[in-house]
Amino acid sequence: MRVEPSYPACRLCHSVIGPPFARCRERTGRGESVIIMHVTQELELYPEHSVTQMLFKDVKNAAELRQSAVDGKLNCALITPTMLVNPLQVLVAANKAVHLQKTGKMKTRGLYSEIIFNLSPTNNISEAFNRFGISDSDDSVHVTVVHSKDEFHLVSDITSRVDGQQLPLEHMSMLTDAAKVKKLYKVSPQEEKCGTLLDALICRMATKDVL
């Protein structure tokens, strides 16, 4: 099932955020533009839930963040950006995780671990965490938060805990290790001639449960 998210208005400038590569700007009193670094998208099937994605580089406290997530003190998915090619990849994984949570069919213990698992082309949970979860030595982190409209403060709370430089989400491809991604998802040169790399990844994510 293809995800067709609706894009809510930015809380700062009230313009629509989306599609995944779009960026929102807030006008200051002096007429200057300030880039809003995160992207928030509402899930069409579950409009009470929104997904916010953020990207960081030069991160100095990856080990602390990872341990906080393991201990349940950080409510988000911490993903290595090297395995991501497009924000839609994460949005599809998050949409599936919310659906499985609603239907009681998750294969992992929590919503955020389910998001990481859904990114993987295989059904091996340990491999999914090794490939897509961050390690203590990582210096770049992709953060995904699922929240209601009344919980937007969770985004700023998590942002304040990351010791690193936040990037616009559209810079995701700058951190992608395309060769590693193609090898893991087994994407051939012939397949790329028929469609995009993103198409191949989404297809594998969507069909791994039936293969």
Side-chain angles (χ1 to χ4, degrees), residues 149-165:
K149 295 179 180 178
D150 297 328
E151 296 176 326
F152 202 80
H153 64 278
L154 295 175
V155 174
S156 57
D157 290 345
I158 293 172
T159 302
S160 67
R161 298 182 62 175
V162 180
D163 183 6
Q165 179 185 348

Side-chain angles (χ1 to χ4, degrees), residues 22-75:
R23 59 182 174 183
C24 172
R25 293 176 180 270
E26 176 192 15
R27 288 290 177 180
T28 66
R30 294 174 295 180
E32 300 171 338
S33 293
V34 179
I35 297 176
I36 307 303
M37 308 299 277
H38 62 266
V39 170
T40 297
Q41 293 161 286
E42 183 180 284
L43 298 181
E44 186 175 82
L45 296 180
Y46 304 99
E48 70 275 19
H49 292 290
S50 294
V51 176
T52 293
Q53 299 185 53
M54 297 170 284
L55 186 65
F56 298 86
K57 72 172 185 175
D58 299 331
V59 176
K60 300 178 178 62
N61 64 332
E64 175 188 339
L65 294 171
R66 190 185 69 81
Q67 190 59 51
S68 295
V70 171
D71 294 340
K73 299 177 181 178
L74 199 62
N75 293 317

Side-chain angles (χ1 to χ4, degrees), residues 27-204:
R27 288 290 177 180
T28 66
R30 294 174 295 180
E32 300 171 338
S33 293
V34 179
I35 297 176
I36 307 303
M37 308 299 277
H38 62 266
V39 170
T40 297
Q41 293 161 286
E42 183 180 284
L43 298 181
E44 186 175 82
L45 296 180
Y46 304 99
E48 70 275 19
H49 292 290
S50 294
V51 176
T52 293
Q53 299 185 53
M54 297 170 284
L55 186 65
F56 298 86
K57 72 172 185 175
D58 299 331
V59 176
K60 300 178 178 62
N61 64 332
E64 175 188 339
L65 294 171
R66 190 185 69 81
Q67 190 59 51
S68 295
V70 171
D71 294 340
K73 299 177 181 178
L74 199 62
N75 293 317
C76 63
L78 301 174
I79 306 166
T80 175
T82 58
M83 300 303 295
L84 301 176
V85 301
N86 188 292
L88 181 60
Q89 187 181 353
V90 180
L91 185 64
V92 169
N95 183 78
K96 183 177 180 181
V98 171
H99 174 69
L100 293 175
Q101 183 186 55
K102 294 286 188 182
T103 57
K105 296 181 179 179
M106 290 197 303
K107 295 183 179 179
T108 65
R109 296 181 178 179
L111 177 65
Y112 292 115
S113 59
E114 195 74 13
I115 291 175
I116 294 175
F117 173 68
N118 289 339
L119 288 167
S120 175
T122 74
N123 284 303
N124 188 312
I125 295 176
S126 296
E127 180 181 319
F129 277 93
N130 289 335
R131 299 285 190 177
F132 293 91
I134 67 169
S135 66
D136 291 350
S137 60
D138 281 355
D139 60 3
S140 60
V141 178
H142 178 284
V143 179
T144 298
V145 187
V146 179
H147 56 89
S148 68
K149 295 179 180 178
D150 297 328
E151 296 176 326
F152 202 80
H153 64 278
L154 295 175
V155 174
S156 57
D157 290 345
I158 293 172
T159 302
S160 67
R161 298 182 62 175
V162 180
D163 183 6
Q165 179 185 348
Q166 188 170 0
L167 298 173
L169 194 64
E170 63 186 26
H171 289 184
M172 177 182 288
S173 61
M174 295 171 54
L175 303 176
T176 303
D177 187 333
K180 186 182 293 186
V181 171
K182 292 176 185 179
K183 181 178 180 180
L184 176 63
Y185 285 89
K186 299 180 180 179
V187 180
S188 66
Q190 292 77 12
E191 186 173 1
E192 287 191 88
K193 292 179 181 179
C194 302
T196 66
L197 177 57
L198 178 63
D199 291 336
L201 306 191
I202 298 298
C203 178
R204 284 159 174 75

